[in-house]
Amino acid sequence: MSLEIVKEEIKNACAKYNREVSNVKLIAVSKFKPIEDIEEAIKQGQTVFGENRIQEAKEKFSTLKEKYPEIELHFIGHLQTNKAADAVAIADCIHSIDSIKLADALASEMNKQGRDIDCFIQVNTGYEEQKGGVTVGEDLEKLYKHCVEELKLNIIGLMCIPPVDDVADIHFALMHKIAGEMDIKYLSMGMSADFDAAIKFGATHIRVGSAIFGDRS
Ligand SMILES: *Cc1c(COP(=O)(O)O)cnc(C)c1O
């Protein structure tokens, strides 16, 4: 477990880029990792976790949340509309709203379950066909407006996953610019390989898996 090392690196990045450590939330991405690993991280003081598949999230975190009521689960993976009910039931934050249809389903479930969950809109900054997220410009603006004005969803920020072969900085810089223009407060970006750059460009939520828990293989 390299949680302490990652935290040290976050601290160093914040010092380097003149950011407050308290403004960078570390989401420990525990996908594919067993409950024991998560409990070890909890014992080291980690309270925020990320998962990308609903079934797995349910299996691990329904038990964990009972045992450790202070922990927070962020859902960071692609979400199908028919899983919206499960996502709303288990997650404390959803990072991957990428269509009007999904936003509608989530809003309806939140009403039904009496939950008001913080959400991010996922932006496909690399125009990758296989990746979730809306494209920058009209699509993003339309979805944001629909979420906020029609559905009254609590959209707190934007999320992105840069293309693996690209220099991440370009995508993070773009996200920083859009968030500024749209007056959006939070940015979910940066993973094990690039959270330093993400912090440089204003990330407020970084999603770090393998650097903490080891390779997933
Ligand atoms: C797996 C995953 C991460 C963490 O990736 P690492 O490279 O292991 O840090 C971050 N964000 C999303 C959306 C993921 O699916």
Side-chain angles (χ1 to χ4, degrees):
M1 170 92 38
S2 311
L3 181 62
E4 286 308 318
I5 297 169
V6 169
K7 283 207 248 183
E8 197 58 36
E9 286 170 356
I10 294 169
K11 218 191 286 171
N12 292 340
C14 286
K16 192 161 52 168
Y17 304 122
N18 209 9
R19 298 276 319 272
E20 295 283 341
V21 180
S22 59
N23 291 338
V24 179
K25 188 173 211 163
L26 172 61
I27 301 167
V29 178
S30 50
K31 62 188 185 195
F32 300 105
K33 296 294 173 184
I35 284 193
E36 297 76 61
D37 290 16
I38 302 170
E39 287 198 288
E40 195 184 330
I42 294 170
K43 288 190 178 118
Q44 290 182 26
Q46 182 65 22
T47 54
V48 187
F49 294 90
E51 289 281 342
N52 73 336
R53 293 184 306 178
I54 282 297
Q55 190 55 35
E56 182 183 347
K58 256 171 66 174
E59 278 163 20
K60 297 192 305 198
F61 279 86
S62 36
T63 323
L64 282 167
K65 279 182 138 191
E66 260 176 44
K67 198 163 167 191
Y68 308 98
E70 73 278 16
I71 62 176
E72 241 175 69
L73 175 64
H74 289 234
F75 189 77
I76 60 174
H78 178 67
L79 189 55
Q80 283 169 309
T81 309
N82 62 0
K83 300 277 171 62
D86 284 341
V88 168
I90 190 86
D92 301 292
C93 182
I94 293 170
H95 288 237
S96 45
I97 294 187
D98 63 355
S99 72
I100 288 189
K101 196 168 143 230
L102 176 61
D104 288 348
L106 288 170
S108 147
E109 276 305 325
M110 287 187 209
N111 283 331
K112 217 189 281 178
Q113 299 183 29
R115 288 189 33 94
D116 189 15
I117 297 172
D118 290 342
C119 296
F120 288 78
I121 288 178
Q122 185 175 349
V123 185
N124 189 345
T125 54
Y127 296 92
E128 294 177 286
E129 273 193 26
Q130 79 284 9
K131 214 166 253 176
V134 284
T135 47
V136 176
E138 208 180 307
D139 281 351
L140 171 58
E141 278 157 32
K142 236 167 76 183
L143 178 58
Y144 181 68
K145 221 172 151 199
H146 182 76
C147 287
V148 173
E149 290 176 12
E150 303 281 325
L151 303 175
K152 315 286 182 217
L153 277 176
N154 211 6
I155 303 293
I156 61 166
L158 302 177
M159 179 270 224
C160 82
I161 309 169
V164 275
D165 301 329
D166 264 12
V167 178
D169 294 50
I170 302 164
H171 299 272
F172 297 155
L174 175 64
M175 291 285 280
H176 181 76
K177 177 169 167 278
I178 304 166
E181 287 166 0
M182 293 176 73
D183 201 18
I184 283 176
K185 197 171 169 193
Y186 295 121
L187 284 173
S188 166
M189 56 190 197
M191 318 200 322
S192 291
D194 53 23
F195 66 81
D196 183 279
I199 289 171
K200 177 177 176 184
F201 289 102
T204 57
H205 295 62
I206 59 174
R207 311 177 309 264
V208 182
S210 46
I212 296 172
F213 294 108
D215 283 344
R216 285 178 294 270
S217 66

